[in-house]
């Protein structure tokens, strides 16, 4: 959708100085072009000599391969961008920003398609298979053509073209059609109105509610550019632990300002709402969804919102979970609550994203069972503009979980995927953990609910059951830090979320390759070790934190560091001891029929596997089974020994990452290199801390030694137990 023209500057503060040369025939002046390219390269290089990460993957480095550069130059020397909208301005601007720094020359914009080498225009007739967001790119020796049905799709095509150049693709013989597999590709910010970010590790929230709607930071535009470049088309700027004030008139004006800025980039704004808003800000005495006044209040509120924001996306709701109000407070079901909101939004085309992350204080069932228990029976009861948003695993974004059994268990309801991009449980923003592999592992998991091939990805994209509404969301890791995400490599997680939401068939490795090429280096010999490092990185974290299916071992509240000993919290299932159940007999939680019977929530295929420790993959062993310390693993080693080895392997993995990174000094921009070097030093310290604290703690029960030859823990268990971090960031 194309909105009103931008009134503010769309000039990114990353723009570079550029040459004014307008060459007609590049072949003719090849030597001159090459020389100028070199001169510009030096200039550009000088300006990026201390890259602080602000430009993300859009740093548009100078293309050093002269053959590629010359081809691209010829293909983009004269550009025609059809249209006269805010979005076509964005397209022109992005090309103006990117091409001079990548190619060393300014492109010439022409007003006739037949005078251009690069043509970007909507088709004269609708190309039905491309839909609203798909594009078609055709590349020939001296020309390029991007076509689509809408301006926003042209923007996606433009970014795809620029990505192809940044990653050194041959564009002279190209015929690509792309269309997103998931309809709504979203970021969920857990940002509060006072700019604190729940589980945020990259500084304050980027949304400066106090200064909005008048003060429009340049950062908002760069945020929108980054999102559009990876196909993100929806954002929720406020926390699911919502503040009712967001729906008051003065805040809605602020939301409108954001929506107006993001519209040209194809991004819709949605809001997290508080279910008790009718009472908190509406002056009603109840928020019961069965009450006609409450229903009317929401209908009026929806109308008010759409008057300000005609393309408003809808509401995201956390209800009856962790103290949040919800329909359950009135004895009503989640479906009743969701449908009341859905009815209010329906006339305007809005949707409800109703979260399945619930655990009620009075539910006697083990926490991992509760989402399924509450939601599966409601299948078929939700209105058609409701999607139930499910976290990827049954508990809570742990370093590794099996896929949530809800995927596949609600065939009549579109299920949205909620991933966590921010690293609440994977080392905050100081641990290098590439999450592309996490997302891929979950999306590729086969639920087997309709036989082999019923993957989670097919549930989410709607193809398994024929749903049109489809959503993939990531809890954002973005803040005011100059590099946006607190760690250069955490940018790759934002990037991977967007790319996989666009196309879940892309591999995590290919996405890592793209990101490295765009962000860090064009040189294959430099890219390759970095990608190898990224692909292994999440497993290192799993190993030094929660190997073999362990989970929820972190310290209380802030979740920073190990706390396997914690047993003093009021609800049993807030305590790590509840999940690992280590005692002299063994370790792990029995989720088979003799225990909590979580396995029964999976399809018959998985029940047969998860119910049997001999068949359960090592990675999930202690998630499903309580086993003796001397349990023989597939390798023939005991469980204790394997557990210890995994903890040590995790730390060794970080040491290897450090070595790889050290070897790349001088081949990566010094600013980027230095940041990552410092973060890796913290990661190594903390990996050792996790390892030593957990091994010492479990050793009390296993009563077996740490094998000889392995470094012994530096401190006593008591030392680790006494550590306190009252000011760890991101607390809820
Ligand atoms: O992961 C947990 C977090 C809470 C969060 C909650 C949720 C927003 O620790 O901080 O609250 O999940 O997903 O609602």
């Amino acid at each position: 959708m194309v909105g009103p023209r931008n009134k503010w500057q769309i000039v990114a503060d990353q723009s570079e100085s550029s040459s004014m040369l307008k060459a007609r025939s590049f072949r003719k002046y090849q030597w001159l072009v090459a020389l100028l390219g070199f001169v510009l390269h030096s200039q550009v290089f000088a300006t990026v000599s201390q890259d602080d990460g602000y430009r993300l993957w859009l740093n548009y480095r100078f293309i050093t391969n002269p053959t590629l550069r010359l081809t691209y130059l010829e293909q983009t020397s004269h550009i025609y961008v059809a249209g006269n909208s805010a979005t076509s301005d964005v397209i022109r601007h992005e090309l103006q920003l990117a091409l001079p720094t990548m190619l060393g020359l300014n492109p010439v914009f022409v007003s006739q398609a037949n005078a251009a080498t690069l043509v970007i225009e909507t088709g004269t007739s609708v190309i039905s298979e491309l839909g609203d967001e798909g594009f078609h790119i055709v590349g020939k020796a001296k020309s390029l053509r991007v076509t689509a049905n809408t301006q926003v799709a042209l923007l996606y095509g433009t970014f795809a073209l620029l990505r192809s150049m940044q990653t050194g693709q041959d564009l002279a013989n190209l015929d690509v059609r792309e269309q997103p597999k998931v309809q709504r590709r979203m970021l969920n910010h857990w940002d509060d109105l006072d700019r604190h970010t729940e589980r945020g590790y990259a500084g304050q929230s980027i949304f400066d509610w106090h200064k909005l709607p008048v003060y429009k930071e340049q950062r908002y535009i760069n945020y929108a550019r980054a999102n559009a470049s990876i196909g993100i088309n929806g954002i929720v700027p406020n926390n699911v632990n919502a503040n009712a004030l967001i729906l008051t008139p003065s805040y809605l004006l602020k939301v409108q300002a954001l929506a107006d800025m993001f519209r040209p980039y194809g991004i819709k704004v949605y809001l997290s709402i508080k279910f008790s808003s009718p009472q908190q800000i509406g002056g009603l005495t109840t928020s019961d969804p069965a009450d006609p006044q409450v229903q009317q209040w929401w209908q009026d509120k929806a109308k008010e919102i759409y008057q300000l924001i005609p393309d408003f996306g809808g509401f995201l709701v956390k209800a009856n979970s962790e103290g949040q109000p919800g329909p359950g407070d009135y004895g009503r079901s989640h479906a009743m609550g969701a449908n009341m909101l859905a009815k209010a939004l329906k006339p305007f085309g809005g949707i409800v994203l109703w979260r399945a992350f619930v655990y009620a204080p009075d539910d006697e069932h083990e926490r991992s069972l509760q989402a399924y228990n509450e939601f599966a029976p409601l299948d078929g009861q939700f209105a058609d503009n409701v999607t139930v948003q499910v976290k990827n695993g049954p508990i809570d974004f742990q370093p590794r979980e099996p896929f949530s059994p809800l995927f596949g268990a609600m065939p009549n309801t579109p299920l949205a995927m909620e991933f966590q991009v921010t690293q609440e449980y994977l080392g905050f923003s100081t641990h290098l953990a590439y999450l592309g592999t996490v997302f891929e592992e979950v999306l590729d998991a086969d639920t087997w609910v309709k036989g082999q091939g019923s993957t989670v990805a097919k549930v989410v994209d709607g193809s398994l059951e024929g749903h049109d509404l489809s959503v993939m969301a990531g809890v954002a890791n973005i803040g005011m830090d100059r590099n946006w995400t607190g760690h250069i490599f955490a940018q790759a997680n934002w990037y991977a979320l967007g790319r996989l939401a666009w196309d879940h068939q892309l591999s995590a490795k290919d996405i890592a390759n793209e990101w490295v090429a765009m962000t860090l280096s064009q040189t294959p010999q430099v890219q390759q070790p970095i990608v190898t490092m990224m692909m292994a990185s999440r497993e290192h974290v799993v190993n030094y934190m929660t190997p073999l299916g362990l989970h929820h071992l972190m310290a209380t509240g802030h979740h920073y560091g190990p706390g396997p000993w914690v047993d003093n919290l009021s609800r049993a299932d807030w305590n790590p001891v509840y999940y690992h159940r280590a005692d002299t007999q063994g370790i792990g939680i029995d989720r088979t029929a003799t225990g909590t019977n979580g396995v029964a929530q999976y399809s018959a295929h998985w029940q047969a596997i998860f119910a049997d420790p001999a068949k359960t993959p090592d990675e999930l062993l202690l998630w499903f089974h309580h086993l003796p310390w001397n349990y023989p693993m597939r390798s023939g080693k005991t469980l204790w020994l394997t557990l210890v080895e995994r903890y040590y392997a995790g730390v060794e993995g970080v040491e290897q990452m450090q070595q790889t990174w050290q070897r790349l000094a001088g081949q990566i921009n010094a600013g980027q290199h230095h940041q990552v070097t410092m973060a890796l030093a913290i990661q190594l310290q903390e990996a050792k801390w996790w390892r030593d604290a957990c091994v010492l703690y479990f050793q009390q029960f296993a009563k077996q030694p740490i094998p000889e030859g392995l470094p012994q823990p530096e401190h006593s268990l008591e030392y680790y137990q006494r550590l306190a971090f009252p000011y760890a960031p991101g607390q809820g």
Side-chain angles (χ1 to χ4, degrees):
M1 151 157 217
V2 174
R5 294 178 65 81
N6 272 352
K7 301 237 167 39
W8 51 89
Q9 285 247 300
I10 53 173
V11 179
D13 66 359
Q14 63 171 349
S15 55
E16 304 285 356
S17 64
S18 55
S19 153
M20 288 293 132
L21 187 79
K22 296 171 183 176
R24 285 212 168 264
S25 164
F26 292 105
R27 289 277 175 228
K28 201 164 158 195
Y29 299 111
Q30 258 188 33
W31 62 271
L32 180 62
V33 169
L35 180 69
L36 263 159
F38 179 77
V39 171
L40 260 143
H41 177 213
S42 329
Q43 279 177 13
V44 170
F45 193 74
T47 61
V48 297
S49 65
Q50 283 294 323
D51 189 340
D52 57 12
Y54 184 76
R55 296 154 197 249
L56 296 161
W57 48 88
L58 299 177
N59 65 22
Y60 297 129
R61 291 243 164 78
F62 184 76
I63 290 165
T64 46
N65 177 325
T67 318
L68 273 182
R69 196 172 66 248
L70 282 172
T71 314
Y72 297 164
L73 272 169
E74 285 194 322
Q75 289 171 315
T76 61
S77 65
H78 293 78
I79 302 175
Y80 172 70
V81 180
N84 185 23
S85 68
T87 302
S88 55
D89 283 351
V90 167
I91 295 173
R92 284 184 206 99
H93 173 255
E94 200 64 31
L95 293 165
Q96 260 160 353
L97 193 67
L99 295 176
T101 64
M102 286 201 290
L103 305 179
L105 287 179
N106 252 6
V108 180
F109 285 89
V110 297
S111 53
Q112 300 278 324
N114 58 14
T117 55
L118 166 58
V119 174
I120 300 179
E121 62 178 355
T122 46
T124 39
S125 62
V126 173
I127 321 158
S128 60
E129 73 274 14
L130 291 180
D132 283 349
E133 295 185 304
F135 55 81
H136 184 195
I137 307 181
V138 176
K140 305 229 169 85
K142 294 182 183 175
S143 70
L144 288 165
R145 190 177 179 84
V146 183
T147 41
N149 291 323
T150 66
Q151 296 276 315
V152 165
L154 289 179
L155 177 62
Y156 291 149
T158 304
F159 275 118
L161 189 65
L162 293 172
R163 176 165 57 239
S164 303
M165 293 184 188
Q166 286 171 285
T167 53
Q169 308 298 309
D170 175 11
L171 301 182
N173 195 3
L174 191 74
D175 192 337
V176 191
R177 280 164 212 265
E178 278 194 39
Q179 222 201 327
K181 293 198 167 56
V182 169
Q183 188 191 65
R184 297 174 195 240
R185 306 170 299 276
M186 300 183 56
L187 285 182
N188 293 179
H189 289 261
W190 286 355
D191 296 10
D192 296 323
L193 302 186
D194 63 1
R195 301 190 80 181
H196 168 262
T197 299
E198 184 157 349
R199 312 309 174 187
Y201 312 103
Q204 280 197 304
S205 167
I206 59 168
F207 302 110
D208 190 345
W209 296 105
H210 182 68
K211 285 175 161 173
L212 283 167
V214 177
Y215 203 103
K216 293 171 180 138
E217 301 271 0
Q218 182 60 41
R219 199 177 255 258
Y220 298 135
I221 298 301
N222 289 331
Y223 165 78
R225 289 175 52 233
N227 279 330
S229 78
I230 52 175
I232 298 281
N233 66 1
I235 67 130
V236 184
N238 64 322
N239 194 350
V240 289
N241 288 331
N243 188 322
L245 287 179
I246 195 73
L247 292 183
T248 54
S250 63
Y251 274 95
L252 287 178
L253 288 176
K254 298 168 193 279
V255 178
Q256 180 192 33
L258 291 178
D260 287 348
M261 273 185 282
F262 298 156
R263 186 169 297 113
Y265 298 84
I267 298 167
K268 285 185 182 175
V269 174
Y270 301 64
L271 288 177
S272 294
I273 58 102
K274 192 129 194 133
F275 199 78
S276 54
S277 299
Q279 287 159 286
Q280 290 199 20
I281 57 166
L284 301 191
T285 52
T286 177
S287 298
D288 182 352
D291 184 300
Q293 272 188 301
V294 172
Q295 294 166 2
Q296 190 60 49
W297 188 86
W298 283 108
Q299 285 163 24
D300 294 344
K301 188 50 78 178
K303 202 167 162 195
E304 181 188 343
I305 296 172
Y306 280 93
Q307 268 160 8
L308 296 170
I309 309 166
D311 57 351
F312 179 68
F315 295 146
L316 172 63
V317 194
K318 172 174 176 177
N320 294 121
S321 172
E322 298 186 323
Q324 292 299 318
D329 303 348
Y330 308 94
R332 319 287 177 202
S333 70
H334 286 289
M336 278 187 73
N339 292 348
M340 172 195 59
L341 298 173
K343 191 173 170 198
L345 295 167
K346 179 86 179 173
F348 311 101
I351 65 161
V352 173
L353 301 133
W354 192 271
R355 295 178 83 229
F357 176 73
V358 290
Y359 58 103
D362 47 359
D363 192 323
E364 80 281 12
H365 291 104
E366 194 247 305
R367 175 168 155 192
S368 74
L369 306 176
Q370 291 188 26
Y372 181 102
N373 286 350
E374 279 194 50
F375 280 87
L378 298 176
D379 188 33
Q381 294 183 27
F382 290 97
D384 63 3
N385 57 334
V386 176
T387 171
V388 172
Q389 184 163 308
V390 183
K391 287 191 182 182
N392 61 267
I395 291 205
D396 193 9
F397 302 134
Q398 297 299 295
R400 172 169 281 116
E401 298 192 28
F403 65 90
S404 163
L406 267 177
F407 293 111
M410 296 183 69
N412 301 303
T413 313
L415 294 188
M417 169 62 78
E418 181 175 306
F419 283 123
Q420 196 180 42
V421 186
T422 191
Q423 291 168 237
E424 176 179 359
Y425 300 104
L426 285 104
F428 293 10
S429 65
T430 35
H431 293 211
L432 194 168
Y434 173 52
L435 303 182
T437 51
V438 181
F439 307 154
E440 179 179 61
E441 180 176 298
V442 178
L443 292 166
D444 287 354
D446 197 341
T447 67
W448 278 84
V449 287
K450 289 178 109 182
Q452 190 168 15
S454 314
T455 59
V456 170
K458 285 189 194 162
V459 175
V460 171
D461 74 12
S463 61
L464 193 68
E465 304 292 351
H467 296 301
D468 288 338
L469 177 55
S470 59
V471 181
M472 200 186 298
V475 178
N477 60 348
I478 297 159
M480 283 299 287
D481 274 10
R482 185 68 190 159
N483 69 13
W484 298 85
T485 55
H487 193 307
I488 300 260
F489 277 85
Q491 297 174 356
N493 297 335
W494 175 9
Y495 184 84
L497 188 274
R499 296 290 287 138
L500 281 169
W502 180 271
D503 182 359
H504 52 65
Q505 290 307 296
L506 294 173
S507 77
K509 188 171 181 185
D510 288 346
I511 293 171
N513 262 307
E514 266 178 26
W515 179 81
V516 172
M518 294 168 80
T519 310
L520 297 172
S521 171
Q522 291 168 31
T523 313
Q525 297 85 318
V526 176
Q527 290 165 5
Q528 193 266 329
I530 301 176
V531 171
T532 306
M533 176 172 103
M534 287 169 75
M535 290 301 290
S537 60
R538 178 270 191 129
E539 209 60 41
H540 303 324
V541 178
V542 170
N543 282 336
Y544 61 70
M545 288 188 183
T546 50
L548 301 176
L550 288 173
H551 49 285
H552 209 289
L553 300 189
M554 64 287 164
T556 304
H558 48 57
H559 301 164
Y560 175 59
W565 45 81
V566 174
D567 62 358
N568 60 350
L569 302 173
S570 56
R571 275 180 61 100
D573 59 5
W574 283 347
N575 292 295
V577 293
Y578 177 90
Y579 293 97
H580 63 66
R581 309 217 173 173
D583 56 20
T584 51
Q585 303 301 305
I587 181 170
I589 177 163
D590 180 5
R591 290 194 169 105
T592 70
T594 53
T596 70
N597 208 14
V599 296
Q601 296 184 338
Y602 288 91
S603 61
H605 171 88
W606 286 112
Q607 285 185 26
I609 293 171
F610 292 152
D612 181 353
K615 292 186 185 150
T616 307
D618 284 0
E619 280 61 41
L620 294 172
L621 195 60
L622 303 177
W623 184 283
F624 288 109
H625 303 283
H626 185 79
L627 296 170
W629 293 106
N630 286 330
Y631 175 81
M633 302 288 287
R634 284 188 187 85
S635 64
K637 293 181 181 173
T638 64
L639 172 56
W640 164 253
L641 192 61
T642 310
L643 186 72
V644 174
E645 283 180 357
R646 292 278 175 118
Y647 271 110
Y648 277 80
V651 173
E652 280 159 26
V654 181
E655 284 164 347
Q656 282 158 18
M657 293 203 294
Q658 268 191 328
Q659 286 155 16
T660 303
W661 193 250
Q662 241 10 79
R663 278 199 297 275
L664 294 170
Q667 299 178 73
I668 304 270
N669 178 281
Q672 292 173 319
H673 193 270
H674 184 54
Q675 280 193 31
V676 176
T677 301
M678 292 187 289
L680 281 168
I682 298 178
Q683 185 171 4
L684 182 60
Q685 270 172 13
E686 295 185 353
K688 286 182 179 166
W689 168 32
W690 266 96
R691 176 195 70 190
D692 293 348
C694 291
V695 168
L696 281 174
Y697 173 76
F698 292 131
Q699 192 180 28
Q700 307 173 91
F701 306 105
K703 300 191 187 306
Q704 299 193 37
I706 297 170
E708 265 179 50
L710 294 178
Q712 298 295 307
E714 270 174 45
H715 304 282
S716 67
L717 178 58
E718 295 66 40
Y719 167 88
Y720 295 114
Q721 287 175 319
R722 275 200 307 270
L723 295 175
F725 304 93
Y727 304 115
Q731 305 209 33

